[in-house]
Amino acid sequence: MLKIGPLSFHSRLLLGTGKYPSFDIQKQAVEVSEAEILTFAVRRMNIFEASQPNFLEQLETNKYTLLPNTAGAKTAAEAVRIAKLAKASGLCDMIKVEVIGCDKTLLPDPIETLKATEELVKEGFIVLPYTSDDVVLARKLQEAGCHAVMPGASPIGSGQGIINPVNLQFIIEQAVVPVIVDAGIGSPADSAYAMELGADAVLLNTAVSAAKDPVKMAKAMKLAIEAGRLGYEAGRIEKKRYATASSPKEGMSIR
Amino acid sequence: MKVTLNGEWTQIPDNIIFVSDVLKHYKIHDKVVVVEVNGGILSKLEHQSTRLADKDRIEIVHFVGGG
């Protein structure tokens, strides 16, 4: 079970809801992924053309835990405002703190992320900050009372996979809250690797929504995350330089 | 009265008194929206009790797909 604050989940896949080719494909992908936590963003409504459908209306929202993000925020104050707007919907009290500090790499601003986390924990939110793979920052976010840390595997939407497994492992080893690898996942192998390293869950969006077949990829990610988790729990063998025979050396009938 | 609605200087009909009237006027009263008036975020219950005044700044936000 994945435990975030007071909440428990069977699924270790958190799925983003951006950039799907259609609402129908998105709905199917969400279903086959078996994700229980869905992320989304808060934006100004185009009220002058309000008849446009909204993705939330396509989903049975009471079946899911909604995880709004603070994407668009560049300062702690902006992130706190977006978090409060999301909470006022009455649909969620979890928040993914996302404060971007660099437009080109979309890497998070560590100082503003920490400030926003401190503030939102005080306000009683369940706080999941998206952070870089900085080991010390991950610790400080936990000291600030966050309910999970979400280090990026590589830049958002880049699909580069896990580019710093060493740091990720340090974060996992030192963590007292769940570690959710967020951003940069490209393939099922990346997801399985994150789980084998000991991550508690994976959050991804583009890897599924921009795949050639998003529904199939959603299933592949679900299976990869389950496989990676099982592998982690089972405990992999040590790597050796030379071969070790799998068959017994005794009782051979050939000379 | 005239208000700033999602950044646009907008004339709204005189029969609009409460925030909930604005939502009905734009036919978004049955959608999931969050309203902020002059920087203060309203709970759903407050939509019906919050009176609007000339030159108010109203922000109406909703949820969109995101990662």
Side-chain angles (χ1 to χ4, degrees):
Chain A
M1 290 288 261
L2 170 65
K3 289 197 170 134
I4 303 172
L7 308 171
S8 297
F9 304 94
H10 294 285
S11 166
R12 292 177 182 273
L13 167 59
L14 290 74
L15 194 61
T17 56
K19 301 184 295 188
Y20 286 80
S22 71
F23 282 135
D24 185 49
I25 289 174
Q26 176 178 42
K27 195 179 172 197
Q28 286 180 55
V30 168
E31 271 168 23
V32 304
S33 76
E34 291 179 28
E36 294 167 284
I37 303 174
L38 301 179
T39 67
F40 56 91
V42 178
R43 288 289 178 271
R44 255 183 188 168
M45 191 176 203
N46 185 357
I47 44 172
F48 307 104
E49 251 180 87
S51 58
Q52 52 193 327
N54 184 279
F55 86 102
L56 268 186
E57 292 162 7
Q58 320 287 315
L59 298 167
E60 289 173 69
T61 47
N62 54 353
K63 269 173 54 185
Y64 302 97
T65 296
L66 302 182
L67 176 59
N69 64 38
T70 65
K74 291 196 166 177
T75 64
E78 287 169 7
V80 169
R81 172 179 171 257
I82 296 171
K84 287 180 177 173
L85 282 168
K87 196 176 190 174
S89 72
L91 291 176
C92 43
D93 44 19
M94 255 189 181
I95 189 75
K96 168 177 163 173
V97 174
E98 180 175 343
V99 187
I100 299 302
C102 171
D103 287 337
K104 207 164 185 182
T105 61
L106 296 182
L107 286 168
D109 183 318
I111 294 153
E112 296 299 312
T113 299
L114 181 58
K115 273 195 224 164
T117 298
E118 286 168 344
E119 176 74 25
L120 290 167
V121 167
K122 271 188 217 143
E123 297 270 353
F125 283 81
I126 299 171
V127 186
L128 294 78
Y130 159 63
T131 172
S132 64
D133 55 20
D134 188 292
V135 180
V136 178
L137 179 60
R139 195 192 71 220
K140 291 197 172 182
L141 289 165
Q142 292 173 69
E143 286 166 1
C146 75
H147 300 82
V149 279
M150 305 210 292
S154 50
I156 294 174
S158 73
Q160 290 183 54
I162 296 168
I163 53 176
N164 196 342
V166 177
N167 272 22
L168 218 47
Q169 237 167 345
F170 288 154
I171 291 174
I172 289 164
E173 282 165 17
Q174 296 184 12
V176 293
V177 296
V179 176
I180 301 170
V181 173
D182 176 7
I185 296 290
S187 73
D190 300 335
S191 290
Y193 186 29
M195 296 308 293
E196 281 191 72
L197 289 174
D200 294 280
V202 169
L203 194 168
L204 52 86
N205 186 340
T206 310
V208 165
S209 66
K212 210 188 285 173
D213 184 338
V215 180
K216 209 170 252 184
M217 187 57 85
K219 176 108 188 243
M221 289 298 185
K222 169 195 123 70
L223 294 172
I225 287 165
E226 286 174 4
R229 179 66 190 182
L230 281 174
Y232 170 74
E233 287 173 2
R236 61 153 297 150
I237 59 163
E238 293 298 317
K239 287 184 184 176
K240 300 184 194 82
R241 286 190 73 202
Y242 289 101
T244 316
S246 307
S247 310
K249 285 174 190 150
E250 300 79 31
M252 280 199 272
S253 69
I254 39 173
R255 278 182 285 154
Chain B
M1 71 183 123
K2 273 199 136 182
V3 295
T4 306
L5 193 48
N6 280 4
E8 296 205 22
W9 187 231
T10 311
Q11 176 77 46
I12 53 173
D14 289 337
N15 59 355
I16 288 180
I17 298 167
F18 297 103
V19 166
S20 51
D21 298 330
V22 176
L23 301 182
K24 274 186 210 125
H25 177 70
Y26 287 100
K27 299 188 175 68
I28 50 174
H29 51 285
D30 56 352
K31 297 195 179 242
V32 176
V33 296
V34 179
V35 186
E36 199 183 48
V37 178
N38 301 327
I41 298 166
L42 306 180
S43 70
K44 264 188 172 174
L45 282 173
E46 289 167 327
H47 291 178
Q48 284 164 37
S49 59
T50 304
R51 282 175 176 271
L52 291 171
D54 203 38
K55 298 192 178 71
D56 271 349
R57 280 179 298 112
I58 307 166
E59 284 283 323
I60 302 177
V61 301
H62 69 152
F63 300 129
V64 299

